[in-house]
Amino acid sequence: MEGEADGSVAVPGSGSEDPARRRRVHGMLKLYYGMNEEGKAEERPESLDPCDINGPHFDPEVFLNKLRRECSLAELMDQETCMVKQIRSLDSDMQTLVYENYNKFISATDTIRKMKNDFKKMEDEMDCLSANMAAITEFSARISGTLQDQHTQITKLSGVHTLLRKLQFLFELPARLNKCLELQAYAQAVRSHRRARCVLQQYSHLPSFKGIQDDCHAIMDKLAQELRQKFRDGGSSAKDLSECVELLLQLDEPAEELCDKFLSHARSRLESDLQGLEAEIRPYPSASAMKDVSAQRASTPAAGSPTDNSPKMSATPSPTSNTDILEFIDRGCNEFVSSLCLVITSYQELFINHAPKGELASKNIPQMANGKLNAFVDDLAARYFSLVERRIQEEKGVADNSLLVRALDRFHRRLQAVTKLLPGSAVPNKGTEIVIRAATERVKQYLAALQSFYMDSLTDVRQALATPRLSVASASVGGGGAHLGGPASGRDAPNSLPELLSSLSAAILNQIKSVLASVHLFTAKDITFSNKPYFKGEFCSQGVRENLVVSFIKFVCQSSRQFCESAGDKGGSTPPALLLLLSRLCLDYETSTISYILTLTDEQFLVQHHNPVTPVTTLCAEAREAAQKLLNHYVKVQGLIISQMLRKSVETRDWVNTIEPRNVRAVMKRVVEDTTSIDVQVGLLYEEGVRKAHSSDSSKRTFSVYSSSRQQARYAASYTPSAPMDTNLLSNIHKLFSERIDIFSSVEFNKVSVMTGIIKISLKTFLECVRLRTFGRYGLQQIQVDCHYLQMYLWRFVSDENLVHFLLDEIVGSSAHRCLDPAPMEQSVIEVICERG
């Protein structure tokens, strides 16, 4: 109260009070009284602890004793200070609440006083109203008592009057029905007859009523015949037909028969539309024509192709359609589909949407009619879809997709009207399947076109390689020339290998981009079916990416590997330059092209990799495997070409009776020339590679009769026919300590590795041929001259010159072992001959 006197307490509602403080005060009080935010008491378990100051079982003595035992003096003082602050805070909060609610208490008192005055006035008015109601009730009772006798008489007269009117209606009914029939007021006639039918049936045993009933039946039979004829003609409006069907149903006409008649009439019109569409489609080829085409294909093999199963676009010998696909679909949509939708709408208005009343409600007419309608629509739609698919199959050209895509879009869009009219029909789904099949078939056609383009491009490359002006053998080798072919006469000079590779790769890539651009029309934003999840996801990931792009990349790799078949098969006639070019093409695909093509496809078609798709690494591995196989086969083919020359040069010469060598044999010069030409050819497409350090006298290595590790003078005198075991033993011991050479190992993707493989195969063949011959003195010396000449030039092509030196040493050693009179030529003479040759 002191706060009131000095004005230190804020007046409630003055706005000077802090809202946060008010919420805090209320919160503390709610916490003290155990209430939640909604003002309801919280259901909490009661604390039985006597030391819980907020619990109902709090004991001050126990609490103080506990504090004295557990707390020090300072803690007791702090506890006292804290409790004093809390007590003061609670007192202050309580005082604040009293001041806050002071005005509310005064306002509530005034309101109660005012309500007492208002209720007093209302009680007086209610007493007056009650008195008035009692007087009105008494007056009404007196009036009812006075008119009771007259009311009974009026009710009796009214009943007699109603009965007379009904009898008059019955006697006038035949005339009324005839009048309605003349005026074609069929609905009024049926309503009138239905009103009297029960009464006439009930009193049909009376002669007068029996006559009326017979007349009415005759008139209604005539009316029913006119309604049937009107329904059969079908020329009236939809409203008139609906009224006609309803009247026939009320006249007990069978509902199934009406449905069948309506659908039969509609079928005749729709079948005429289908016949018009079928006339636009070219007929199927006859069986004999198909046999002739099959026989012609079987007897004509594919030329210039490494495989027999290369895809070919099939063509049917039949006349083309008169109209394009878009006009055909437009006609089908505007005539058949529109007519079908009109029939569905009319049928539903007649038999399904119009709810039957009275006795007709128990016959389940809508269910029966809906079943007949679905069967009718499915039958005709199946025939229409068959015609559409036949027409789509005629679209074999892959030049332009726009007409086909627009036609499919229009076909799909118009079928959605059937979805709205028949929500449970399978017709739209079947139409969607046709769209998906058409898109998938077009993807297959594009794949076949890509494969055919690739094979044609390879044929062009083979023809370019077969021209004399592109012959690698004519490449300049003087001074290590690195260009392919000499100057060509004429403007149409063929390109070099790098240009052929670049043009082939660019042509394939441009063709792929063109195909993707054409296929991308199927996923355009303005195409309705492109945004459907059942089409876009499957079409983009499986159709375009997998069945088109990935399949074409695999075809490129597989068809390239088929060129590596052994000689005697189709791969034996493959030009070596084509093998080298294809190996580089596959290697470029592995390093960059495959990743670029798939990235381009994923970006254009927004491919989602939810479905299992072929990863880039798998395709790159397949391309690298094809490149490796092609390069290995190239090394094998080139090595065998040189080996064939060496084999013939060894097998066709009499090495025992040959003359003293004066120069290098021409075949050795040819081997060096061909090797140099191959080196130029490989260098056009592959990098140099890594070589081991060459010694300063690599071109001047000398060959002993036996091995480079043995001195010629030491062993030549001891070699006599009587001691062959010694030389063989020394040779075998030398082989034990020499490095093993793998002739047909896989080569690396560089020029040095390729040339090493070719030279290994050539010299190994030379060695094996020497081991099968017998040599005289001059034959051995000729081998020495030839090997020294080969050593002068071949060491620069291989990665390790010791490999060439070892093989040539083996050749000379084997010649010495097979020599009847081993008398080696002086090294100085050999060098003079080789330098002169």
Side-chain angles (χ1 to χ4, degrees), residues 31-138:
L31 179 64
Y32 177 77
Y33 288 108
M35 293 186 297
N36 55 20
E37 292 297 331
E38 298 177 356
K40 298 181 181 179
E42 296 182 355
E43 296 181 0
R44 296 184 299 177
E46 294 184 353
S47 177
L48 301 178
D49 186 8
C51 295
D52 184 7
I53 196 170
N54 294 322
H57 300 282
F58 174 69
D59 190 345
E61 293 297 332
V62 176
F63 180 71
L64 288 175
N65 291 334
K66 180 179 179 183
L67 289 179
R68 284 196 294 269
R69 287 195 310 270
E70 297 178 354
C71 301
S72 61
L73 180 60
E75 292 175 345
L76 288 174
M77 296 296 292
D78 293 340
Q79 186 74 16
E80 179 187 10
T81 303
C82 180
M83 293 183 67
V84 169
K85 289 182 179 179
Q86 292 179 0
I87 292 171
R88 289 177 180 175
S89 176
L90 288 173
D91 290 341
S92 176
D93 293 340
M94 185 66 71
Q95 187 179 8
T96 301
L97 285 175
V98 171
Y99 286 133
E100 285 179 354
N101 292 299
Y102 183 73
N103 286 341
K104 296 179 182 178
F105 292 150
I106 294 175
S107 177
T109 303
D110 294 340
T111 302
I112 292 172
R113 186 181 300 111
K114 185 177 179 180
M115 287 176 63
K116 286 183 178 180
N117 295 332
D118 292 342
F119 276 114
K120 178 63 177 174
K121 184 178 178 180
M122 188 179 297
E123 287 177 359
D124 295 340
E125 292 178 354
M126 290 300 293
D127 292 340
C128 181
L129 179 61
S130 177
N132 292 336
M133 291 297 294
I136 291 172
T137 302
E138 182 181 359

Side-chain angles (χ1 to χ4, degrees), residues 22 34 71 144 209 234 385 387 453 485 506 604 664 693 725:
R22 182 182 301 174
C71 301
S144 297
F209 287 96
F385 290 155
L387 296 176
F453 175 82
Q604 284 190 4
V664 181
M725 293 301 295

Side-chain angles (χ1 to χ4, degrees), residues 803-819:
L803 184 145
V804 175
H805 186 71
F806 174 78
L807 289 173
L808 292 175
D809 196 10
E810 283 291 316
I811 293 171
V812 176
S814 296
S815 301
H817 292 315
R818 302 288 299 170
C819 184

Side-chain angles (χ1 to χ4, degrees), residues 695 697-704 706-710 734 738 741 759-760 763 787-788 790-792 794-796 798 800-813 827:
S695 62
D697 59 343
S698 298
S699 62
K700 296 182 180 181
R701 290 289 182 92
T702 60
F703 298 97
S704 67
Y706 307 111
S707 175
S708 61
S709 62
R710 291 169 283 159
H734 171 67
S738 62
I741 300 175
I759 291 174
K760 283 193 300 183
L763 296 183
C787 289
H788 185 78
L790 292 177
Q791 171 62 30
M792 289 174 60
L794 296 185
W795 65 270
R796 69 191 68 202
V798 298
D800 186 5
E801 61 182 289
N802 292 326
L803 184 145
V804 175
H805 186 71
F806 174 78
L807 289 173
L808 292 175
D809 196 10
E810 283 291 316
I811 293 171
V812 176
Q827 184 63 31

